[in-house]
Amino acid sequence: MPPVASSTVHTPEVASVLKTSKPAGKDQDAAAPFNPFYSYYAPTDDTGDDQTYQYAKYKANMTPRTQMPYFPEVDWQPLGPINVQDRGLFADPEKRSLLSAATKVKHLTPALGVELHGIDLRYLTDAQKDELALLAAERTVVVFRNQPITIEEQLDLGRHYGTLHKHATTPVPREPGLEEVHVVYADSARKPDPTAFSKIELWHSDVTYEQQPPSLTSLKVITSPACGGDTLWSSGYALYSSLSPDMQAYLDKQYAVHSAVLQAQGSRAAGTHVRRKEIETIHPVVRVHPVTGWKSVFVNPGFTRRILNAPKAESDSILSFLFHQIAENPDFQVRISWESNDIVLWDNRVCTHSATFDFYPERRHALRVTPHGERPISVAEYEQDGKKAKDRQVEIWKLQGIEVPTPVVPVAGGVIKQKVYND
């Protein structure tokens, strides 16, 4: 079968997928339990501090005039093709300008995550911004502590990487002119109800139902709880590298449906306006990063509904396996504990993430800026002009001079001695 381009679909098959793949417990109505992923509605504001809270203008749950959540009732046209030039392609491969400006560079786990000290994001040169894109493409998650960057400056930084996404259902700040800002806010007004969701379902890559999902995303926590409210990221590169060659070869050829339907339903059930009609989009299950050329598993529990052209039982089993690896395998993960004014940038194309909701009744308030990336590139599409998509871990081993393990070829009657890992 020829390669399938990522595309928006409204076929009977996809409609059937969406009807049959709705997770249990997601029926949304006015009295439904509060699921913070599919519905952002907060019906009351019992903090009583709108006149004193430093960042009240960036809140989105209440307005004094209406006493209703601030979700602008505007209608946006469907998104068309967006021209993208990945800034990582213009970067010095050694990233000398960026890394030489840091007083400390700390890798957080072997799979992903790096923390840079001594850099003020307000003063990055264009060359350093490009190198930051390359660093994120390689290390996935980049952490900067105690950054005074304002939301306007954060938006300017995001625009260096591409056209900014405007979310169809989530709240935006009350401050005018910030429709490209995604607000993440929780306080004592409403406690997430664990009867409404499982923790696995909260793992996601941002808005993967879009035809061109985000690339180098930034989130700044402007108010953090004293403890808790951490974010975890899981590497799609590392997940791919962990699979058997046969599973890799199978997934390389597959495509899946990503859906905005449940998120839109949750918004409508909460009484808020959906600003852009929800879509379902087909993307490759394994995408290739345009800068690194590395393969990454590109599915997530939040938005991926079904593998196309596979029996439902097969699709459900494979997606369940991948979702559990994302959420449960610590070798693929990094966990970041926030303090106020920390900012994290991550390459949304090659990871999934999830927040913890362990901080109630304290406040957690963050602002996200989200540039569009390219339409996801399949292995077949990437390789059609002679390039070779690669396994990140294999490439790292080669650079380290480590011999790449050869798969064991089974022989009838053979006996394999197992090596046991002890800790």
Side-chain angles (χ1 to χ4, degrees), residues 123-252:
Y123 305 121
L124 291 182
T125 65
D126 285 350
Q128 290 172 324
K129 293 174 185 177
D130 292 348
E131 291 171 13
L132 176 55
L134 177 57
L135 180 63
E138 295 172 347
R139 293 297 304 164
T140 307
V141 176
V142 187
V143 181
F144 297 88
R145 302 292 186 181
N146 194 27
Q147 293 289 313
I149 188 170
T150 66
I151 185 54
E152 291 79 13
E153 291 166 333
Q154 188 180 344
L155 286 165
D156 286 342
L157 177 62
R159 291 188 185 104
H160 182 79
Y161 303 110
T163 301
L164 298 183
H165 179 260
K166 295 195 297 185
H167 205 292
T169 65
T170 59
V172 301
R174 302 171 190 170
E175 182 84 352
L178 298 179
E179 288 186 338
E180 294 165 322
V181 176
H182 172 93
V183 175
V184 179
Y185 185 90
D187 59 21
S188 59
R190 193 166 186 182
K191 183 179 181 180
D193 188 336
T195 66
F197 60 92
S198 75
K199 288 296 183 180
I200 286 180
E201 293 168 12
L202 297 183
W203 282 91
H204 65 285
S205 297
D206 291 329
V207 297
T208 58
Y209 47 76
E210 302 289 18
Q211 290 201 55
Q212 293 180 236
S215 57
L216 187 54
T217 301
S218 65
L219 182 73
K220 180 177 178 179
V221 170
I222 55 178
T223 303
S224 67
C227 182
D230 298 353
T231 304
L232 296 89
W233 283 265
S234 180
S235 169
Y237 290 146
L239 174 51
Y240 183 85
S241 296
S242 74
L243 302 173
S244 69
D246 286 342
M247 179 61 86
Q248 289 177 341
Y250 171 81
L251 294 180
D252 282 352

Side-chain angles (χ1 to χ4, degrees), residues 109-112 138 140 233-243 248 294-297 325-326 329-333 350-351 391-393 396:
T109 76
L112 76 169
E138 295 172 347
T140 307
W233 283 265
S234 180
S235 169
Y237 290 146
L239 174 51
Y240 183 85
S241 296
S242 74
L243 302 173
Q248 289 177 341
W294 297 340
K295 301 179 187 180
S296 177
V297 174
Q325 287 295 296
I326 288 169
N329 194 321
D331 293 350
F332 308 156
Q333 296 176 0
V350 293
C351 64
D391 181 322
R392 171 186 176 273
Q393 187 60 68
I396 290 174

Side-chain angles (χ1 to χ4, degrees), residues 45-54 56 59 185 187 363:
D45 184 349
D46 61 6
T47 58
D49 64 357
D50 269 13
Q51 302 304 313
T52 59
Y53 175 46
Q54 179 182 3
K59 287 173 65 173
Y185 185 90
D187 59 21
R363 188 195 329 258

